[in-house]
Amino acid sequence: GNSVTQMEGPVTLSEEAFLTINCTYTATGYPSLFWYVQYPGEGLQLLLKATKADDKGSNKGFEATYRKETTSFHLEKGSVQVSDSAVYFCALGYSSASKIIFGSGTRLSIRP
Amino acid sequence: DVKVTQSSRYLVKRTGEKVFLECVQDMDHENMFWYRQDPGLGLRLIYFSYDVKMKEKGDIPEGYSVSREKKERFSLILESASTNQTSMYLCASSLEGRIAGETQYFGPGTRLLVL
């Protein structure tokens, strides 16, 4: 069946460090891939998405590339800020339905 | 901007009580979803709805029911609350039909404690 596996947290980095959060997926067909972010005390919001192989999603300095050959969608940012502290969810949207499968989430903390 | 609101941010209920969680979206979205969020488990889909009066079970529907009498409102009902239903409940909506790649828009969540 369809599933998403993402890097376990928590991840703690210093401000301006490089960030990678790994995400791999298992799916039949051609899913869409998402990264959602949850800031403290809030619901989830879409950070970026990619709908087909080799697409790159980007937003707020974050990037992720849809790699069909490695079934991956790793999240990266070149220089993190304290305001990036949040929980990040990798997710998969599969064809013939509007449902999304979420990973377990990775908590990111950035030290000043 | 899409706005999804949930009736309460925090709720405390007793075991055996009937609990109603309400969700309203203001963008005429067709799809609405209820999830629960638990540490280490991510989000798990409880129920969803593609249209008024239409509902489908998600991955963990046991102990829950839903109601969608109007397009903008989707209610989650715990018929007889139990302690293992203590969780964060998140409502979401998306624009239309059964399309892959649709962005879901989330409410702020309701943190439910069942004593």
Side-chain angles (χ1 to χ4, degrees):
Chain A
N2 300 319
S3 67
V4 175
T5 302
Q6 67 181 100
M7 185 170 155
E8 286 203 21
V11 174
T12 303
L13 296 172
S14 296
E15 205 165 20
E16 299 183 3
F18 184 85
L19 169 70
T20 301
I21 301 178
N22 290 337
C23 173
T24 57
Y25 68 91
T26 301
T28 54
Y30 302 95
S32 295
L33 299 173
F34 305 84
W35 278 100
Y36 280 81
V37 59
Q38 185 178 34
Y39 297 105
E42 298 183 12
L44 278 70
Q45 56 185 272
L46 179 69
L47 180 60
L48 54 84
K49 74 178 187 182
T51 57
K52 61 183 188 297
D54 299 325
D55 268 2
K56 178 187 283 188
S58 61
N59 186 25
K60 300 183 181 179
F62 291 90
E63 293 183 341
T65 301
Y66 188 160
R67 302 279 188 206
K68 190 166 170 59
E69 64 276 12
T70 54
T71 61
S72 65
F73 193 55
H74 304 319
L75 183 68
E76 296 182 337
K77 186 174 185 181
S79 176
V80 293
Q81 306 300 313
V82 172
S83 57
D84 294 327
S85 298
V87 181
Y88 292 80
F89 292 90
C90 185
L92 177 159
Y94 48 101
S95 59
S96 78
S98 292
K99 294 191 286 185
I100 293 179
I101 294 174
F102 289 87
S104 57
T106 302
R107 182 174 298 277
L108 174 66
S109 296
I110 307 301
R111 293 187 299 251
Chain B
D1 275 356
V2 175
K3 188 152 187 180
V4 180
T5 57
Q6 296 184 229
S7 50
S8 306
R9 293 300 299 271
Y10 301 95
L11 273 180
V12 180
K13 297 292 181 181
R14 299 222 171 261
T15 302
E17 280 193 76
K18 191 168 186 175
V19 181
F20 293 86
L21 303 181
E22 303 284 335
C23 175
V24 177
Q25 50 92 6
D26 67 355
M27 284 300 291
D28 204 34
H29 283 180
E30 291 188 9
N31 303 325
M32 297 189 76
F33 308 82
W34 274 107
Y35 297 89
R36 63 177 283 176
Q37 180 181 8
D38 299 289
L41 297 178
L43 275 71
R44 293 179 291 169
L45 182 63
I46 304 171
Y47 267 97
F48 60 104
S49 169
Y50 289 128
D51 202 350
V52 175
K53 295 190 186 296
M54 183 277 176
K55 61 187 178 186
E56 289 195 26
K57 293 180 180 178
D59 300 317
I60 51 164
E62 296 78 17
Y64 303 95
S65 62
V66 290
S67 172
R68 193 164 180 204
E69 296 296 318
K70 293 184 177 181
K71 190 173 186 178
E72 67 271 17
R73 189 179 297 270
F74 192 36
S75 303
L76 179 69
I77 303 154
L78 286 65
E79 296 289 345
S80 177
S82 64
T83 55
N84 63 11
Q85 292 178 310
T86 291
S87 187
M88 170 73 91
Y89 290 88
L90 292 166
C91 176
S93 70
S94 66
L95 182 58
E96 61 182 346
R98 303 187 182 215
I99 300 173
E102 277 284 299
T103 298
Q104 291 187 11
Y105 297 86
F106 283 80
T110 297
R111 191 169 291 280
L112 173 67
L113 173 62
V114 182
L115 299 173

